[in-house]
Amino acid sequence: MSVLLLAEIQGSELVLDATAKAVGAISGLGEVTVLCAGHDCGSAANAAAGIAGVAKVLHADDPSLAHGLAEPLAALVSDLARQFSHVAAPSTAAAKNVLPRVAALIDVMVISDVTAVIDAESFERPIYAGNALQTVRSLDATKVLTIRTATFDAAGEQAPAPVETIATAADPGLSEWIEDKVVISDRPELSSARIVVSGGRGVGSEEDFALVAGLADTLGAAVGASRAAVDAGYAPNDWQVGQTGKVVAPDLYVAIGISGAIQHLAGMKDSKVIVAINKDPDAPIFQVADVGLVGDLFEVVPQLRAAL
């Protein structure tokens, strides 16, 4: 058996945490070949070659792949897919755009958000907003998977594996890059941060969300938000944690003014330590919290920052 792993690349650089965790998840399925596809992404290919468990790196470099457009990337992956027993990628927005297209092109099913690899044909994934686990068995000749990396440890380092430059597939010309709008922040990236501080509807306003951000800065943490806070305009979309946002599993998750709707819990309940601050003692968030503090966040958070 052999596995083709689509590396997560932003710009021309490898997203090492997501890619290394995906390698750790699938290394038991057979020899792992990593595909680094982009433009001027030689450094990403070299970085991927140093991940423990990677047997070879395929480097595809072409202007059509520069901005992660799904159609040319899916054409390339589908051309390679039949040489492998499994095709996988970290369960990111980019991969969820590409791999269903790959599965359609090679006429197989796609298994999304894998949280456990049972054997070469059987995989575990969450359903019903994470309240149940489904075991899926696929008899397809090539299994196509997205890996929910938050539940896996990152693979370590090794002496660099060989890097092979390959030709790209013809661009189907179905989409066109217009522009990227990138948010630049000094804070850690939300999906891979060791500490996350999130705010909910209880924060009350966009201005008061500075309390959440201030505590995050004190802790060196990423900032998250519930969907209610995002919908109310308190926080931007890319901060959303939950079933329809980002799934995180940090060492510490601090939930401030978040009631704990089932959709939000689906995105953070695998955190190692959960701290909840809410004035409602019956808030559902306290059912999953390791430490719960019943109190007014506008009094508690400044005191907590001062103590820290």
Side-chain angles (χ1 to χ4, degrees):
M1 292 186 296
S2 57
V3 186
L4 177 66
L5 175 68
L6 179 60
E8 180 73 9
I9 294 178
Q10 288 183 354
S12 59
E13 299 301 318
L14 181 74
V15 182
L16 182 60
D17 182 75
T19 306
K21 286 182 177 179
V23 171
I26 62 174
S27 56
L29 293 174
E31 186 176 271
V32 177
T33 298
V34 174
L35 172 62
C36 288
H39 187 44
D40 294 332
C41 61
S43 60
N46 293 332
I51 299 174
V54 174
K56 182 169 68 173
V57 175
L58 301 180
H59 176 209
D61 197 309
D62 190 86
S64 67
L65 303 171
H67 303 289
L69 294 179
E71 290 82 2
L73 188 50
L76 171 63
V77 176
S78 61
D79 281 353
L80 298 169
R82 297 190 189 277
Q83 305 171 33
F84 298 89
S85 59
H86 299 77
V87 175
S91 188
T92 62
K96 289 179 179 180
N97 196 16
V98 173
L99 287 200
R101 299 171 191 271
V102 172
L105 288 169
I106 64 174
D107 195 25
V108 300
M109 69 185 292
V110 61
I111 304 172
S112 61
D113 289 327
V114 170
T115 54
V117 177
I118 299 171
D119 56 40
E121 295 181 342
S122 304
F123 310 92
E124 202 171 78
R125 62 184 298 272
I127 56 174
Y128 302 128
N131 283 281
L133 293 175
Q134 179 185 58
T135 300
V136 180
R137 185 179 181 215
S138 170
L139 300 180
D140 289 330
T142 301
K143 284 78 172 171
V144 178
L145 322 166
T146 65
I147 308 295
R148 184 175 282 192
T149 56
T151 58
F152 295 97
D153 294 326
E157 299 179 0
Q158 66 175 14
V163 177
E164 176 186 338
T165 300
I166 62 171
T168 58
D171 184 355
L174 297 173
S175 59
E176 178 185 358
W177 174 79
I178 302 298
E179 66 173 331
D180 287 335
K181 294 185 178 180
V182 180
V183 176
I184 299 175
S185 174
D186 293 332
R187 297 189 182 105
E189 203 280 320
L190 179 58
S191 298
S192 58
R194 291 180 57 252
I195 304 174
V196 175
V197 178
S198 286
R201 182 184 290 147
V203 176
S205 70
E206 182 179 3
E207 292 74 23
D208 287 331
F209 218 85
L211 279 172
V212 177
L215 180 59
D217 291 339
T218 300
L219 291 169
V223 181
S226 68
R227 178 168 180 172
V230 170
D231 287 349
Y234 303 167
N237 289 336
D238 57 328
W239 289 4
Q240 185 176 326
V241 173
Q243 183 180 10
T244 54
K246 294 180 179 178
V247 176
V248 299
D251 294 338
L252 172 63
Y253 187 89
V254 182
I256 301 172
I258 295 175
S259 63
I262 189 172
Q263 292 84 357
H264 184 77
L265 299 184
M268 46 65 72
K269 64 187 179 69
D270 290 326
S271 304
K272 293 180 176 61
V273 176
I274 299 172
V275 174
I277 301 171
N278 200 296
K279 66 181 180 181
D280 179 6
D282 297 320
I285 191 72
F286 289 126
Q287 297 176 15
V288 298
D290 298 285
V291 179
L293 179 57
V294 178
D296 185 338
L297 67 89
F298 297 103
E299 297 176 1
V300 170
V301 173
Q303 293 173 12
L304 182 56
R305 281 194 71 188
L308 289 167

